[in-house]
Amino acid sequence: MFPPLTRAMAKQLYIETVGCQMNMLDSELVVASLRKQGYEVVDSPKRADAILFNTCSVRQHAEDKIYSALGRLKHAKKYNPGKIIGVIGCMAQKDQRLIFDRAPYVDLVVGPGQLHQIPELIQRVEAGGGQQLEVSLDRKGGSRSQVEQSFESYDPLRDPQMRPTPFQAFVRIMIGCDKFCTYCIVPSVRGPEQSRPPAHILAEARQLADEGCREITLLGQTVNSYKYADGGRTWRLADLLAELHEIDGIARIKFVTNYPKDMTDELLTAVRDLDKVSPYLHVPAQSGSNRMLARMKRGYTVEEYRDMLARVRATVPEATVTSDFIVGFCGETEDDFQQTVELVRASRFKNSFIFKYSERPGTKSVQLYPDDVPEDVKKRRNNELLAVQNAISEEDNQPLIGRTVEVLVEGPSKNAARDDDGSDALQLVGRTHCDRIAVFDGNRRQIGQLLDVAVYDANAFTLFASVVTAHVGPEVFQL
Ligand code: 5AD
Ligand code: SF4
C-alpha cells in the first residue's frame, strides 16, 4: 500500500501548449499519465520539477516562440539541477536532435507518436539516463505499415481539468494526414492518415458522457475523410455521428477540420438530421485562386469549392461555415489575392482564420517555388482580407439581435475571469450550436448548462445577451 500523496510530496508539472486542438488533447493525455506518476499541474514554470512544451510546426513563428522560451530557461537548472525540461509534439518530431544542439539543457524530445512513453522517459532521466529522444520514423523511413506503427495513437487516459471546460472534450477519431498540400508540414510530423476503430471512439465518448461531458468535438486533420473497415462494414464520419448521437448525456457533437473534397451529401444529411450535431462546419478553402490552389495541391478548384458550399447551404441552411486562408503563398499576385477576397465576399463565412504563408523546410513548396511575396505585402493582404471578413461577420450577426438562442455556458467571460471576486453573480460566456460566442450576466451555477439567452446587441465576434426567464418568448433558435 502506498500512502496518499501529500502536497509536499507531489511533483510539480508546468506544461505549455501551442498550436491546434490536437495539441490541446495531447496535453490532456500527457497530464493524465503524469498525474498517475504523482505530478500536479502548476501555472508557473519557476518552481516546477518538470517543464514540458507541447509544440507546433505549422508556421515558423510558433517554433520561434518555443526556441525563445527555451532560451529563457538556460539557467533554470542552476538552482534546481533535477528540473526536467522537455520538448514534445510536432516540433520535436521535425527538429529532433537539433533541439538538443540549440538548447543542450533539454532532457526530453518526444514526437506526437510517442507521447505515451513520457512517464517512462522522465523516469529514465531521473535515474541518470541522460537526454532522451523518441520520435517516429520519417515518412520515407520504412514501409507504410512500419511508418504507421511508429505513430501510435494514445487516447484512453483523460483529465477533466485539462479540458477546455469539464463538460467539453475533444475526441480524436483520426491521426495523421495523407493529403500533402505543398505548404504543409503536418503529413511529415503527424504521419500517415489512420482512423481509430469506431468501438474505441464510442467507448471513449460514453465514458466522457458518464463523467458529465455535454459536448464532444471530434478531431482529425481531415476529419471528414474518416474511414474504417470493420468486418463487412465501412464506417464513415456520418455513421459515427449517428452512433454518437444515441449517447445519453451528450448534447452537442462538433467535428473539425473538414477537407472540402470529402464533404459528402451523406455527411451533410447527417448534420441536417441529427439534432445533436452542430450546424457548424469548418471547411478551409485556403485560396480563391485556381492558380494558387493548384500550386498548393489542394485537389479542388474554386468552382468546386463554391459548389460544395452551395450544397451545404441547400442541405443545412442554418449552418455556419468557417474557413482558413493562406495569403502570400508562392507567386501570389494581386489578382490571385483579389480572387480570394471575392471568395470571402461571396461565401459569407462566420469567421475565417487568415495566415501569412510561412515556408516550412521539408515541404514540397520549398522545393518547387520561391517564397517570393514580400513580408509587407503578406501583412497588407492579411489585414485586408481580415477586414472584409470582419465586416461580413458583423453584418451577419445583426439579424440575431432580438432573437433567443440556446448556449452551452462555458464559464466566466474573459472580463469576469480577470476581476473574479468569487461572487456567484458574474458575466458568463457561452456558445451557440452554430459556434457563435455570447456573453451575458448570469450565475456561477449556470456554468455547464444549456441556457436560453436573448440577444440585444452584436459585433463581429460576440453576441451580447441576457438570460431568458421562463415566461419570455416561446421560440428558441438554434443559431
Ligand atoms: N504557412 C501558413 N499557414 C499554414 N497553414 C498550414 N501550413 C501553413 C504554412 N506553411 C494554415 C492552413 C491550415 C491552418 C491550420 O494553418 O490555413 O488550414
Ligand atoms: Fe496540411 Fe493539407 Fe493535411 Fe490540412 S489537408 S493537414 S493543410 S496537408
Side-chain angles (χ1 to χ4, degrees):
M1 280 297 284
F2 296 104
L5 284 170
T6 63
R7 220 187 141 69
M9 290 163 75
K11 287 178 279 184
Q12 300 195 331
L13 167 71
Y14 173 78
I15 184 163
E16 198 166 305
T17 308
V18 293
C20 63
Q21 288 133 324
M22 211 48 111
N23 271 14
M24 289 168 71
L25 174 57
D26 282 339
S27 287
E28 178 181 336
L29 307 173
V30 169
V31 166
S33 67
L34 286 175
R35 271 198 217 280
K36 286 191 153 178
Q37 205 165 290
Y39 277 93
E40 63 173 20
V41 178
V42 292
D43 54 14
S44 156
K46 284 236 169 65
R47 274 188 290 277
D49 300 288
I51 301 177
L52 295 178
F53 293 99
N54 192 1
T55 60
C56 170
S57 281
V58 166
R59 282 168 290 276
Q60 179 72 43
H61 180 61
E63 294 190 348
D64 292 344
K65 279 203 335 214
I66 297 297
Y67 278 114
S68 352
L70 286 175
R72 288 193 293 275
L73 290 177
K74 203 170 183 172
H75 304 295
K77 291 190 179 176
K78 215 191 230 160
Y79 303 106
N80 181 359
K83 205 177 191 92
I84 290 174
I85 302 175
V87 176
I88 66 175
C90 294
M91 197 181 90
Q93 178 65 35
K94 175 175 158 285
D95 285 358
Q96 305 190 4
R97 289 207 168 276
L98 184 67
I99 298 172
F100 291 140
D101 296 343
R102 289 183 65 171
Y105 40 91
V106 167
D107 303 290
L108 292 176
V109 170
V110 185
Q114 286 69 33
L115 300 179
H116 56 292
Q117 297 181 27
I118 287 177
E120 193 194 323
L121 294 169
I122 287 184
Q123 278 175 349
R124 273 196 226 160
V125 175
E126 284 170 345
Q131 287 178 321
Q132 305 290 319
L133 171 80
E134 286 293 337
V135 289
S136 297
L137 288 175
D138 186 84
R139 284 215 57 164
K140 293 197 180 93
S143 68
R144 176 154 179 124
S145 74
Q146 285 168 329
V147 178
E148 276 183 0
Q149 278 163 27
S150 78
F151 282 90
E152 274 181 67
S153 173
Y154 132 80
D155 292 76
L157 291 175
R158 307 298 308 225
D159 191 286
Q161 284 174 41
M162 288 295 289
R163 288 183 202 143
T165 69
F167 35 85
Q168 293 173 299
F170 298 121
V171 173
R172 189 187 331 258
I173 68 166
M174 302 171 73
I175 61 169
C177 182
D178 282 347
K179 305 292 195 255
F180 286 100
C181 303
T182 54
Y183 53 80
C184 188
I185 193 76
V186 169
S188 50
V189 291
R190 289 261 176 196
E193 185 176 302
Q194 299 181 67
S195 295
R196 291 179 71 207
H200 293 192
I201 297 166
L202 290 166
E204 200 175 311
R206 284 192 198 103
Q207 186 199 327
L208 288 165
D210 289 345
E211 290 172 12
C213 208
R214 311 287 333 259
E215 177 184 281
I216 56 171
T217 300
L218 309 180
L219 296 185
Q221 248 74 44
T222 55
V223 73
N224 57 338
S225 316
Y226 179 86
K227 189 176 177 186
Y228 193 90
D230 198 7
R233 180 174 177 195
T234 298
W235 288 70
R236 309 304 302 234
L237 179 56
D239 305 309
L240 210 49
L241 291 173
E243 289 291 326
L244 290 164
H245 195 262
E246 298 306 309
I247 299 177
D248 285 339
I250 299 289
R252 286 184 178 178
I253 307 167
K254 296 180 176 172
F255 52 91
V256 287
T257 290
N258 291 286
Y259 188 62
K261 264 198 353 184
D262 291 333
M263 204 48 115
T264 59
D265 285 336
E266 191 197 4
L267 176 58
L268 294 178
T269 313
V271 176
R272 181 194 65 196
D273 295 343
L274 301 169
D275 290 344
K276 293 180 181 177
V277 177
S278 292
Y280 156 62
L281 300 168
H282 182 57
V283 203
Q286 309 297 0
S287 173
S289 151
N290 281 334
R291 211 171 63 82
M292 289 298 107
L293 288 171
R295 283 190 156 208
M296 291 174 171
K297 240 172 122 260
R298 283 290 286 176
Y300 52 84
T301 61
V302 68
E303 291 76 19
E304 284 164 340
Y305 186 89
R306 285 179 186 240
D307 285 350
M308 179 279 303
L309 203 54
R311 282 190 296 110
V312 171
R313 302 290 188 214
T315 313
V316 205
E318 77 278 23
T320 51
V321 181
T322 59
S323 183
D324 291 348
F325 288 95
I326 297 176
V327 294
F329 186 58
C330 313
E332 186 188 67
T333 63
E334 208 49 40
D335 183 54
D336 291 315
F337 173 66
Q338 286 309 323
Q339 293 178 41
T340 298
V341 172
E342 198 33 57
L343 179 64
V344 168
R345 285 222 164 89
S347 304
R348 304 207 77 89
F349 300 114
K350 175 175 77 76
N351 60 272
S352 291
F353 300 94
I354 302 166
F355 307 103
K356 292 177 288 180
Y357 172 59
S358 167
E359 193 173 62
R360 306 290 45 228
T363 56
K364 258 279 174 285
S365 62
V366 175
Q367 291 169 29
L368 294 174
Y369 318 109
D371 177 14
D372 55 1
V373 178
E375 182 60 26
D376 59 330
V377 175
K378 287 180 182 171
K379 206 173 201 170
R380 177 180 53 74
R381 289 180 186 166
N382 190 332
N383 292 341
E384 196 176 320
L385 195 59
L386 198 58
V388 172
Q389 175 61 62
N390 287 348
I392 290 169
S393 304
E394 177 152 7
E395 251 172 63
D396 287 357
N397 274 345
Q398 300 309 302
L400 292 164
I401 297 175
R403 288 180 142 181
T404 295
V405 295
E406 189 184 51
V407 293
L408 176 63
V409 186
E410 295 183 347
S413 70
K414 266 195 202 132
N415 288 345
R418 206 182 39 227
D419 316 324
D420 199 350
D421 59 2
S423 66
D424 282 342
L426 77 178
Q427 191 182 53
L428 297 170
V429 62
R431 241 170 237 267
T432 72
H433 215 6
C434 286
D435 204 52
R436 291 188 168 96
I437 294 168
V439 296
F440 48 90
D441 288 333
N443 190 293
R444 221 174 267 280
R445 72 185 146 71
Q446 290 162 323
I447 295 172
Q449 290 181 14
L450 285 164
L451 206 65
D452 294 344
V453 297
V455 181
Y456 62 82
D457 199 3
N459 62 24
F461 318 104
T462 311
L463 308 176
F464 301 92
S466 42
V467 177
V468 174
T469 44
H471 62 278
V472 183
E475 211 176 350
V476 180
F477 297 90
Q478 299 288 3
L479 298 164

